[in-house]
Amino acid sequence: MHRSDELSSILKAELSPRAELPYLAAVWISLFTHLGLLVLFAVFEIWPMVAFNVLSITLFVVVMALVRRGWVRLGMVLALGEVIVHQILAVYFTGWTPGFQYYLPVVGALPLMLPRVSTRRQILSACVPGLVFVILIFTHDPAPPHPFPEPIAVALGYINLLLGFAASWTFVFYFRRGAELAEAQLADAVLRGERLLRGILPPSIVERLRAGEVVADSFDDVSILFCDIVGFTPLAEQKSPEALVRMLDEVFAGFDDLVAAHGLEKIKTIGDAYMVAAGVPEPIEDQAQRLAALALEIRESALAYAEREGEALSLRLGMHRGLAVAGVIGKTKFAYDIWGDAVNTAARMESHGQPGRIHVSAAMAEALGERFELHPRGEVEIKGKGKMQTFWLEGVQCPPVLAANQRGAAMISHS
């Protein structure tokens, strides 16, 4: 996955409102139940209940739309009110024996699962169906106006009791399933956030911050690389904003891969400038050699991009080795940053360099030893530093054995 695609996927990641699952299940159950009740009441010509069930089915379609759009509380208030009124009317018209009142304790559990509602309100809402159930016990008419035949009424009593249990189990299942899905999405969000955080800060720094430590370190010996795109301002004026950002993204993303391959630490980009450190946050013995190899590969990467895309792209690179201080700064948009003489001098090496060349200080040249091809530039007046002896890093020296073989082949060819 491309870096920008991965960032986009992280930014788009959201927790879905899984609290809606048990409520959608409740609405579906209620919808089909009321369709069946509509047929039942029509068969026995209990027309007031037929009319009410038509209204109920319409209401539950509206409730389903509300829940799907995230209006869970409003939808559940309407549904709860319908169920309470429905059971009161059903008991009034058909009596206690058919068992319609058994749905009241079942729906009493739904308010306890309402999202973003205080516990007190949840309990009060849950008590309403229970209170209605108790009132119906003492107030129902033993001789209702539209009773079912006795065998039908008894059968309905058992069916409604079983359906009440089934509805309760269904609510619990979907609530558990919703909780599992929410936990899985939360875990995925944590992993995405962790990946994003570790892309911003070094892993060891992340762990120190988690431990509550103030990250502020002093380093006696670090190596710093700065690189800058030559003539960036006129280049930017020739491109659309989209093309310019796409170019910088592709070029710097390639640099990021090279930095990771060498085990070094990208510190930041500043406009068209790119900064890398070696030896932070953990010291490494061959830091200068790794950084020099990286500088050569960055230069080659930029040349390859320029040739491939037909761009007039050239870099200035500078390196220095010395003292520095590093730490995490900021409360928002925080960053791991580094300051000190090594940083300032490396920046001066870059700004006083030449297009397409890698300008290094004497301290850096001494650290590189004989493994790299270095050409003296001589003394250069460096802003803020005075005259300094500097060098051009040209490439990697041939290993001694390979160099001897090349010299021998050259002599044979000459003879």
Side-chain angles (χ1 to χ4, degrees), residues 344 348 351-352 380-386:
N344 297 334
R348 293 286 183 260
S351 61
H352 289 72
V380 179
E381 184 70 29
I382 303 296
K383 182 180 178 181
K385 304 294 292 185

Side-chain angles (χ1 to χ4, degrees), residues 249-264:
D249 179 61
E250 185 170 346
V251 170
F252 286 167
F255 294 175
D256 289 348
D257 292 339
L258 295 175
V259 170
H262 285 278
L264 303 178

Side-chain angles (χ1 to χ4, degrees), residues 232 235-237 239-249:
F232 179 75
L235 181 64
E237 292 174 350
K239 291 181 172 292
S240 67
E242 293 80 7
L244 180 66
V245 172
R246 191 180 304 113
M247 181 194 77
L248 287 175
D249 179 61

Side-chain angles (χ1 to χ4, degrees), residues 254-274:
F255 294 175
D256 289 348
D257 292 339
L258 295 175
V259 170
H262 285 278
L264 303 178
E265 193 65 42
K266 171 189 172 181
I267 300 300
K268 58 186 173 183
T269 59
I270 311 170
D272 62 312
Y274 191 89

Side-chain angles (χ1 to χ4, degrees), residues 87 90-91 95-106 133 136 160:
Q87 308 323 308
V91 171
W96 187 265
T97 306
F100 292 106
Q101 67 278 359
Y102 297 142
Y103 294 104
L104 288 169
V106 174
F133 183 86
L136 287 177
N160 285 326

Side-chain angles (χ1 to χ4, degrees), residues 324-366:
V325 173
V328 176
I329 58 171
K331 191 172 183 180
T332 60
K333 298 183 180 179
F334 52 86
Y336 180 73
D337 211 343
I338 185 168
W339 314 268
D341 180 70
V343 176
N344 297 334
T345 305
R348 293 286 183 260
M349 291 296 104
E350 178 272 312
S351 61
H352 289 72
Q354 295 177 0
R357 309 199 75 175
I358 304 171
H359 193 204
V360 304
S361 64
M364 193 69 183
E366 181 181 358

Side-chain angles (χ1 to χ4, degrees), residues 24 42 55 98 109-110 112 116 142 153 163 166 189 299 327 354 371 395 414:
L24 285 175
L55 293 175
L110 288 178
L112 299 175
R116 298 178 294 279
L163 287 176
R299 183 174 65 177
Q354 295 177 0
R371 286 178 53 185
H414 179 72

